[in-house]
Amino acid sequence: MTRSYNFCAGPAALPQEVLKKAQEELLDWNAKGLGSVMEMSHRGDEFVAIAEQAEADLRELMTIPAHYKVLFLQGGASMQFAAVPLNLSGKQNEVDYFHTGEWSKKAIAEAKRYAKVNIVASSEAENFSLVPAVSDWRLNPDAAYVHYTPNETIGGLEFHDIPDVGNKPLIADMSSNILSKPMDVSRFGLIYAGAQKNIGPAGLTVVIVDESLLGRALPICPAMLDYKIAADNASMYNTPPTFAWYLAGLVFQWLKAQGGLEAMAIKNQQKSDKLYAAIDYSGFYSNPIALKDRSRMNVPFVLSDAGLDKVFLQEAEQATLFNLKGHRSVGGMRASLYNAVPEAAVDALIDFMQDFEKRYG
Amino acid sequence: MTRSYNFCAGPAALPQEVLKKAQEELLDWNAKGLGSVMEMSHRGDEFVAIAEQAEADLRELMTIPAHYKVLFLQGGASMQFAAVPLNLSGKQNEVDYFHTGEWSKKAIAEAKRYAKVNIVASSEAENFSLVPAVSDWRLNPDAAYVHYTPNETIGGLEFHDIPDVGNKPLIADMSSNILSKPMDVSRFGLIYAGAQKNIGPAGLTVVIVDESLLGRALPICPAMLDYKIAADNASMYNTPPTFAWYLAGLVFQWLKAQGGLEAMAIKNQQKSDKLYAAIDYSGFYSNPIALKDRSRMNVPFVLSDAGLDKVFLQEAEQATLFNLKGHRSVGGMRASLYNAVPEAAVDALIDFMQDFEKRYG
């Protein structure tokens, strides 16, 4: 059977090689009769080795400095929306947030439970179609940290440069562009990412945190959200999501075999350049985001006649191009081009779009 | 290869039939080219059908009344230790807890962040070897709820009757005995359970809650821990742990095929009766728990000579009897006999123990 293509924004496509390896090992991980990884004690030698290897591979891929802790947690970015202020808003209780789309908005709403939020800059008036210009930023000198969303999964907006926020800890919700290109981790105080886009299956959340930020949690912070407790217990304060952690490790090994993040950056640029070119070249499809701020990971687009959306999606499915429907909050289409989506998928999508335009445009 | 036996307290053994089915479907769930369950949109028709079927099967297995919500969450019981008081301690802010072992203790410590905790009864002075007698209970008439741990996984202590706490909501950490026998759900305000024992893989937490208890969360409760938000969004306020949810559904189907919880109760009673009889009959092994309060799920035991522990564990592994080491906080041995551990595993363990006693006793 021909492999179909999955453009889902998350849970997203996983590398075929990773799924095949997981399938081979599903009943018996190492052929010694220990059973499935799912059945292993998280404190046993076998699983601890799997967990440590995954962390080592992630450190290597992202060149994570030694003074950062890497945590394997649960709850997705939405849980981090609370965990970040609960851990880091501190005594001053003032925090800075960029507002660049739906996910920033959710992070801001949750932070307001625990701290006074200053909006550094917002592109809401421009319908989140651009990254606010540096000249428009209003940083609060008393803020405990500055939070931003490097890639807005729904809007398709990406910061291509890391914001310079002086000596404040910069916190990033990197859920939808982590591992898509090299990033200088030393510029961040904390990075968090739900796994279900570029890391592995849903149900795992990776946090990379400068250890100087540990130990500042508010007394009302649940133990399970306290980064210091997680770090002191090597992410095993309680039972971690072992199978998801193992799968993330297989993805990290796959990424290393692909040439690491430099190689992924080139591929991701090629894939998204091609698709944006096809959209811009047509008179039928369009993308609303400023050219310089377009996401390499999530490409939303609309048809010139929204009445054709349903037919487009139906025919795309018939052509085994799946999950192209835009987020329910914005409509239209969206193609997510994470690491595991091959260039051939983009080529197939462009062919389909051009054919569709000929027939209906 | 002969199947080895896994007595792990959690993540625990899963039914072979479940693992085989998951293996078959791992690359392509329904042979239509949609890919793995892990790659599906959680809001797509296919995954929603999987999720709803799992809930329907759990409702059938446990005879859950219609006015209870069933939630599929993340974070394990330890996250619920915070979520319960954050949702339910209310204005009176006083809560009742039973203290019967290590897991009660952790639940109490976390509840103290958010509420005034009254200890209804404790068996700490008896080293948690018994369930406190009803005559010793001191319920607080002003408490918002009463919390207990029906089965202490580490100590091997089980409440065989549901405590009568009048008209107060009774909250139970059922992580290690859920689905092991029929339980009258209508007696509870809320039941929670980490999946990694009798439900499925680690990384999923099931909450069953009387809907009259929804909407009471404190303002400091993170959105991700608010039961009403989870219920209003059918456990998809954000991306749920889709693969773990799917696997739990396979386990529920397996349980139905086994004859449901009545059948499991008989099997679990037989398995634990056999093992306790072998322990009590020997002069070499012993279990410290009062006869009437012994757990059917977790059977801790010690050797008369603790110096032989290491040899016992080594030889057990050679006999492919895995994960018999007691919890690091108490030492000794522990055999966990969850639903997926067959009676043949108990027979093999007893044979090994008797042989070991002959050689070293």
Side-chain angles (χ1 to χ4, degrees):
Chain A
M1 195 191 67
T2 310
R3 165 95 169 137
S4 57
Y5 295 118
N6 181 2
F7 298 94
C8 193
L14 287 163
Q16 280 290 288
E17 295 89 333
V18 165
L19 291 172
K20 280 183 186 153
K21 175 98 168 149
Q23 184 179 44
E24 281 165 24
E25 298 180 339
L26 197 76
L27 286 169
D28 192 15
W29 174 64
N30 65 351
K32 284 187 191 166
L34 286 170
S36 177
V37 170
M38 281 184 247
E39 301 175 298
M40 288 180 183
S41 168
H42 54 296
R43 301 194 193 280
D45 294 342
E46 294 80 15
F47 185 75
V48 168
I50 289 171
E52 289 178 349
Q53 186 63 51
E55 178 179 336
D57 286 336
L58 181 61
R59 284 185 175 276
E60 183 183 331
L61 281 165
M62 294 184 69
T63 323
I64 300 173
H67 65 286
Y68 284 74
K69 295 289 187 184
V70 177
L71 309 176
F72 291 82
L73 307 175
Q74 297 183 57
S78 295
M79 190 71 97
Q80 295 305 311
F81 294 166
V84 165
L86 280 165
N87 277 274
L88 304 177
S89 64
K91 283 176 193 163
Q92 59 267 67
N93 208 30
E94 296 183 37
V95 295
D96 269 354
Y97 278 70
F98 282 91
H99 187 199
T100 55
E102 295 302 317
W103 290 107
S104 306
K105 194 172 171 178
K106 286 199 162 191
I108 290 165
E110 193 71 2
K112 283 182 175 171
R113 286 184 200 277
Y114 311 107
K116 195 181 159 210
V117 176
N118 169 56
I119 303 299
V120 175
S122 169
S123 53
E124 194 169 18
E126 294 82 16
N127 205 20
F128 303 121
S129 61
L130 50 81
V131 169
V134 177
S135 56
D136 293 334
W137 299 0
R138 296 293 172 263
L139 291 159
N140 170 9
D142 295 327
Y145 62 80
V146 184
H147 179 282
Y148 84 120
T149 312
N151 186 71
E152 288 280 1
T153 321
I154 294 174
L157 182 77
E158 188 169 7
F159 283 72
H160 293 297
D161 297 306
I162 300 171
D164 180 357
V165 296
N167 58 1
K168 289 287 168 66
L170 179 64
I171 316 294
D173 172 3
M174 221 176 267
S175 295
S176 52
N177 70 348
I178 194 169
L179 296 172
S180 68
K181 63 176 179 179
M183 299 272 255
D184 181 357
V185 173
S186 73
R187 298 277 306 276
F188 296 89
L190 185 146
I191 292 166
Y192 62 93
Q196 68 274 13
K197 295 152 197 303
N198 266 335
I199 295 174
L204 176 71
T205 313
V206 169
V207 169
I208 302 165
V209 55
D210 182 336
E211 59 189 18
S212 73
L213 296 177
L214 301 177
R216 302 181 183 191
L218 303 178
I220 56 165
C221 181
M224 280 291 293
L225 299 187
D226 185 327
Y227 298 130
K228 184 173 194 311
I229 291 176
D232 288 349
N233 289 279
S235 305
M236 295 192 192
Y237 176 67
N238 75 340
T239 312
T242 49
F243 193 67
W245 192 333
Y246 151 79
L247 283 164
L250 295 184
V251 171
F252 301 153
Q253 285 174 20
W254 177 81
L255 284 170
K256 285 170 67 175
Q258 302 298 304
L261 302 195
E262 289 79 5
M264 296 322 296
I266 293 168
K267 287 182 191 174
N268 288 325
Q269 194 68 51
Q270 280 172 350
K271 289 186 295 180
S272 55
D273 281 352
K274 262 190 186 180
L275 183 53
Y276 284 117
I279 290 169
D280 293 342
Y281 181 76
S282 83
F284 186 70
Y285 304 104
S286 64
N287 167 284
I289 305 297
L291 291 184
K292 68 174 184 46
D293 301 327
R294 284 171 162 184
S295 168
R296 298 158 308 119
M297 295 286 104
N298 310 98
V299 182
F301 59 92
V302 293
L303 314 190
S304 59
D305 174 4
L308 288 167
D309 283 10
K310 205 172 164 185
V311 183
F312 181 94
L313 290 168
Q314 276 170 351
E315 293 197 8
E317 285 208 3
Q318 283 157 15
T320 67
L321 303 171
F322 293 114
N323 291 311
L324 284 162
K325 195 175 178 179
H327 189 268
R328 62 212 152 97
S329 66
V330 293
M333 315 297 154
R334 175 175 49 171
S336 294
L337 310 181
Y338 302 121
N339 287 339
V341 175
E343 190 162 344
V346 179
D347 293 338
L349 173 59
I350 293 171
D351 285 349
F352 170 79
M353 288 168 69
Q354 291 174 341
D355 180 61
F356 188 88
E357 182 180 355
K358 267 183 213 149
R359 290 183 291 114
Y360 294 96
Chain B
M1 194 191 65
T2 309
R3 165 96 170 138
S4 57
Y5 295 118
N6 181 3
F7 299 94
C8 192
L14 287 162
Q16 279 290 289
E17 295 88 333
V18 165
L19 290 172
K20 279 181 186 153
K21 175 98 167 148
Q23 184 179 44
E24 281 165 25
E25 298 180 339
L26 197 75
L27 286 169
D28 192 16
W29 173 64
N30 65 351
K32 285 186 191 164
L34 286 170
S36 177
V37 170
M38 280 183 248
E39 301 175 299
M40 287 180 184
S41 169
H42 54 296
R43 302 195 192 278
D45 294 343
E46 294 80 15
F47 185 76
V48 168
I50 290 170
E52 289 178 350
Q53 186 64 50
E55 178 179 335
D57 287 336
L58 182 60
R59 284 185 175 275
E60 183 183 331
L61 282 165
M62 294 183 71
T63 323
I64 300 174
H67 65 286
Y68 284 74
K69 295 287 186 184
V70 177
L71 309 176
F72 291 82
L73 307 175
Q74 297 183 58
S78 296
M79 191 70 97
Q80 294 305 310
F81 294 165
V84 166
L86 280 165
N87 277 274
L88 304 177
S89 64
K91 283 176 193 163
Q92 59 267 65
N93 208 30
E94 296 183 36
V95 294
D96 269 354
Y97 277 71
F98 282 89
H99 187 200
T100 54
E102 295 302 319
W103 289 107
S104 306
K105 194 173 171 177
K106 286 198 162 193
I108 290 164
E110 193 70 1
K112 283 182 175 171
R113 286 184 200 278
Y114 311 107
K116 194 180 159 210
V117 176
N118 169 57
I119 303 299
V120 175
S122 170
S123 54
E124 193 170 18
E126 294 83 16
N127 205 20
F128 303 121
S129 61
L130 50 81
V131 169
V134 177
S135 56
D136 293 334
W137 299 0
R138 296 292 172 262
L139 291 159
N140 170 9
D142 295 325
Y145 62 80
V146 184
H147 179 281
Y148 84 119
T149 312
N151 186 70
E152 288 280 0
T153 321
I154 294 174
L157 182 78
E158 188 169 6
F159 283 71
H160 293 297
D161 298 307
I162 300 171
D164 180 357
V165 297
N167 59 1
K168 287 289 168 65
L170 178 64
I171 316 294
D173 173 4
M174 222 176 264
S175 294
S176 51
N177 70 348
I178 194 168
L179 296 172
S180 69
K181 62 176 180 179
M183 299 272 254
D184 182 357
V185 173
S186 73
R187 297 277 308 277
F188 297 89
L190 185 146
I191 291 166
Y192 61 93
Q196 67 274 13
K197 296 155 197 302
N198 265 336
I199 295 174
L204 176 71
T205 313
V206 169
V207 169
I208 302 164
V209 56
D210 182 336
E211 59 189 16
S212 72
L213 296 177
L214 301 176
R216 304 181 181 189
L218 303 178
I220 56 164
C221 180
M224 282 290 295
L225 298 186
D226 185 326
Y227 298 131
K228 183 172 193 313
I229 291 176
D232 288 349
N233 289 279
S235 305
M236 295 193 193
Y237 176 67
N238 75 340
T239 312
T242 50
F243 194 67
W245 192 334
Y246 151 79
L247 283 164
L250 295 184
V251 171
F252 301 153
Q253 284 174 23
W254 177 83
L255 284 170
K256 285 171 68 176
Q258 302 299 304
L261 303 194
E262 290 79 4
M264 296 321 296
I266 294 168
K267 287 182 191 172
N268 287 326
Q269 194 68 53
Q270 281 172 351
K271 289 187 295 181
S272 56
D273 280 354
K274 262 190 186 178
L275 183 53
Y276 284 117
I279 288 168
D280 292 342
Y281 181 77
S282 83
F284 186 70
Y285 304 104
S286 63
N287 168 285
I289 305 297
L291 291 183
K292 68 173 183 47
D293 301 326
R294 284 171 161 183
S295 168
R296 298 158 308 118
M297 293 287 104
N298 310 98
V299 182
F301 59 92
V302 293
L303 314 190
S304 60
D305 174 5
L308 287 168
D309 283 8
K310 207 173 164 183
V311 184
F312 181 93
L313 290 168
Q314 276 169 351
E315 293 197 8
E317 285 208 5
Q318 283 157 16
T320 67
L321 303 171
F322 294 114
N323 291 310
L324 285 162
K325 196 174 177 180
H327 189 268
R328 60 212 153 94
S329 66
V330 293
M333 314 299 155
R334 175 176 49 170
S336 294
L337 309 181
Y338 301 121
N339 286 339
V341 175
E343 190 162 344
V346 179
D347 293 338
L349 173 59
I350 293 172
D351 285 348
F352 169 79
M353 287 169 68
Q354 291 175 341
D355 179 61
F356 189 88
E357 182 180 356
K358 267 183 210 147
R359 290 183 291 114
Y360 294 96

